[in-house]
Amino acid sequence: MSISALQKARYAYKPKLPAILCSSIGDIAIELGEATEAVADREELRKIFRLSYGKPLATFTNGKNSTINRELKVGVILSGGQAPGGHNVIAGLFDGLKKGNPHSVLYGLKGGPSGLIENKTIVLTDAIIDEYRNTGGFDIIGSGRTKIETPEQFAASLKTAKDLGLNAVVVIGGDDSNTNAALLAEYFLSQGSDIQVIGCPKTIDGDLKNEYIETSFGFDTACKTYSELIGNLGRDTNSAKKYWHFIKLMGRAASHIALECALQTQPNVCLVSEEVEAKGLSLGQVVDQICGSIVRRAENGDNFGIVLIPEGLVEFIPEIKKLIEELNDAIAKGGEEFTEISSFIDQMYWFSRRISEPSYSILQTLPPDIARQFLMDRDPHGNVQVSRIETEKLLVGMVEKKLHALKENKLYRGKFSALTHFFGYEGRCAFPSNFDADYCYSLGYSAFVLIASGLTGYLSSVRNLTAPADQWVAGGVPLTMMMNLEQRHGSKKPVIKKALVELDGAPFKTFDEARDTWAVKTCFLFPGAIQYFGPPEVCDEPTKTLRLEHQ
Ligand code: FBP
């Protein structure tokens, strides 16, 4: 494979580790705290996770660890959407394993959780790992979204793990994938197996976080990549002064990415889904909010601007949320019958008899292309695929109509020309920022220590992330601690609770204080490309979200 000069230079980068993980391997002991409880629905969860519920928090500390030099076989899975840094989690895990015992083996389970179900593996060697250090992507072993849910899939997973002689499985994934990790840990225990399961917090969406998981990996790099592009568009439109750019940003549910990009670039409008839901705004009111900025800027002769739209917005507008829930339930109940209907008109007829009248009439008022996107296949976890709903186009169409009406009433005299963008896939496989390279390597290394210490049902955790890396605090958080019950596929299921944007949190408040000015004035910032080499304040700075949340 021919490689770029940057890739070559990045191979040589040595990720920074928390001080405890720099200790000699036999001197990393584990300290266990008090038993823990789930965030909600504790009684039900205690029954579902009979053998793995309520374990204590684990923190690494200096001390003797008698089990760390065991010869181990571990399987690693990359699960769900790509996030920058995944390769470094694997590299950290690999290096930890080999330091513990050079005879230990790391298997890559290929193509996501299906690699475990179907026993598709590759033995990861020094040569393979070295080719992927500090690089973006999940291509070392591939990823997938298969959910391990049927009794047959659980049994097949255990069979693969036994056939390979695994001591542990590491699942690198987001909230849904780590929910799967928790279920797998419980299943293995229930079958009398001592095969351990450890998760690592991945997702560019930034919504897998809590007191002990300060951020998921990939969020830092993805936001910096999108912010570079948004800044470039800001500069372009401030030069030509003729376009409004409507930019949808990835983040399936939470608006963390949009908010972080807003803090980095200062657009004229940034919608925050959580606020839209809290205020119960209708689609029309969201459009009014955008038009407010367009009209006021036009009064100053500024017929250009930037609007940021979180990918998950539609699911937070109450009437559309209800529509999506009803569609999801109908699809879950209709099963194969629905998948066999191919024409859009027949699908609409099928739904007309299965969802409420108000929801159906909203579906009918959507432009047909957009309505079609609402009916597309759900992901294996039962979620509507919001990345495929062109909300940015829907909003531009509605804004155009509204501005036309305002013009007729002489309330608007500007010109409106809009371009739409969707930044998502562009950022998910970027070269990890120094922050993500360091964080991911530390998460992988910590996953090894958790395995070597005999724990199962834990998520690898590295905290105190706004301090320099040597002051980071490493350990593990019990997966059941983050869980609650939610409606999925038509019934209540245990899932890791998503962390949405908190409207009383520092990142949103900081945005809120500035946004009225940004709506009218041109205050764009141009963050530029991620820098990998140079002064730490340029290369190692974490996201503004992380700084504000931990200031
Ligand atoms: P994860 O939650 O698996 O990390 O994936 C997040 C995400 O990137 C979302 O932002 C986006 O909606 C979705 O994946 C897209 O999924 P796909 O890659 O299957 O198109």
Side-chain angles (χ1 to χ4, degrees), residues 80-81 145 202-205 250-252 311 386-387 425 428:
R145 287 197 184 277
K202 170 234 72 167
T203 177
I204 61 161
D205 294 3
M250 248 190 190
R252 187 158 52 72
E311 183 184 68
V386 279
S387 63
Y425 300 97
R428 296 199 314 182

Side-chain angles (χ1 to χ4, degrees), residues 78-83 86-87 136-143 202 217 429:
L78 287 164
S79 181
Q82 284 71 253
H87 290 159
F138 279 6
D139 42 329
I140 186 170
I141 49 173
S143 185
K202 170 234 72 167
F217 78 76
C429 284

